[in-house]
Amino acid sequence: MVPMSYPPQNFYYQPVAQPKPPVRRRHPEAKLGPFTWMDLVTFVAYVLIMFIGVAVFVLFIPGVPELFGDNEEAMMFGVNFLGYAIMFALVLMAAGPELWRSFKTFRWYPWAKYLGLPGSWFVTIIASAIVVAVAATAMGIDPSTMPQSENQQAAQAMMDAIPFPLMALMVVVMGPLVEEYIFRQLLIGKLSRWINKWVLVVASAFLFMSLHFIGKEWPTFITGTPYVMMGLAFGIGYVLSGKSLGYSWSMHAFSNLMALSLSSLLEPMLPGSA
């Protein structure tokens, strides 16, 4: 009798395969190239139109002022609409395919992205209200008696005079894309090749705030805080979404849509309204 070895030679031994842990996909980040000539053209146009106000020269064209008559709000809207329409077209050309690729960010953590739109707006409103209330109380000011900034007053005057769809086209669609391209895509996305992105988030928030006071008034801590909070929210959303221009545009558009809608709904309920 031939002794058998153990295990037998015809015995096939295979260990039980252990289940592999699920691979967690890493959130991609946009690979933005260096600054281009189109970036420069768009930035210079933005400074000329929004900071210096060259769009107002359209009123010197014969026949244009007569279109508005004595309606100052309609005239102000027309000038602003023209400026944003020009900038919107330039941004679409400058951002190019990257703008549409940036919407792919919704494939990663989609529920967090979608909930982040109303969530960031709500947190920004609450945080701004708390900071402003605390600052006003510390300065001995009754928060309920604080006047609106000149920018808010001008915006409210236009809302009262201009149909909702036209206002929405400017402040919900065109304006947010233009501002997000300048303050997030250029000042954070492309500059972060040389400067820490979180430093740029803070810097862009303050520059974003300054836009809303140029040529109107000097911002105070109370009037400037809401704009800084919004700038920080949009900047953080831009970075966490992988430098997605599409996502920060969506955040900004949602915030403006809520402000426009609430203003339109609440204005008739205010004392003294017609």
Side-chain angles (χ1 to χ4, degrees), residues 139-175:
M139 291 184 286
I141 302 174
D142 183 358
S144 63
T145 62
M146 289 187 301
Q148 290 182 319
S149 67
E150 291 184 20
N151 180 73
Q152 291 172 315
Q153 294 175 21
Q156 186 62 57
M158 279 196 292
M159 291 177 197
D160 296 339
I162 305 301
F164 185 91
L166 283 176
M167 282 296 297
L169 178 59
M170 184 176 75
V171 305
V172 178
V173 179
M174 296 193 299

Side-chain angles (χ1 to χ4, degrees), residues 187-267:
L187 295 185
I188 298 177
K190 294 202 171 183
L191 269 184
S192 61
R193 295 160 63 94
W194 302 282
I195 304 174
N196 182 273
K197 59 188 176 183
W198 296 111
V199 172
L200 293 171
V201 166
V202 175
S204 69
F206 281 92
L207 289 173
F208 174 76
M209 177 269 293
S210 69
L211 164 70
H212 298 84
F213 292 89
I214 291 293
K216 300 182 180 72
E217 59 182 314
W218 188 257
T220 65
F221 182 84
I222 291 176
T223 58
T225 291
Y227 295 102
V228 173
M229 290 292 187
M230 283 191 291
L232 288 174
F234 302 151
I236 293 171
Y238 175 77
V239 171
L240 295 183
S241 64
K243 297 180 180 178
S244 169
L245 177 59
Y247 190 70
S248 64
W249 180 18
S250 300
M251 292 179 68
H252 198 155
F254 183 89
S255 177
N256 284 11
L257 176 62
M258 292 301 298
L260 181 62
S261 301
L262 290 176
S263 179
S264 300
L265 291 173
L266 297 178
E267 179 66 18

Side-chain angles (χ1 to χ4, degrees), residues 50 79 109 112 114 122 126 131 134 136 140-141 144 175 178 234 239 251:
M50 299 302 171
V79 171
Y109 315 109
Y114 287 116
F122 183 76
I126 297 301
V131 172
V134 171
I141 302 174
S144 63
V178 171
F234 302 151
V239 171
M251 292 179 68

Side-chain angles (χ1 to χ4, degrees), residues 49-103:
I49 293 174
M50 299 302 171
F51 282 82
I52 299 178
V54 297
V56 76
F57 287 106
V58 72
L59 298 176
F60 291 94
I61 299 176
V64 172
E66 287 74 16
L67 296 175
F68 302 104
D70 297 329
N71 192 331
E72 293 185 5
E73 287 75 22
M75 186 179 298
M76 180 171 57
F77 172 80
V79 171
N80 280 277
F81 189 91
L82 174 63
Y84 275 114
I86 294 172
M87 288 305 309
F88 187 76
L90 288 174
V91 168
L92 288 179
M93 290 187 288
E98 176 57 36
L99 171 61
W100 313 118
R101 283 196 298 266
S102 67
F103 282 99

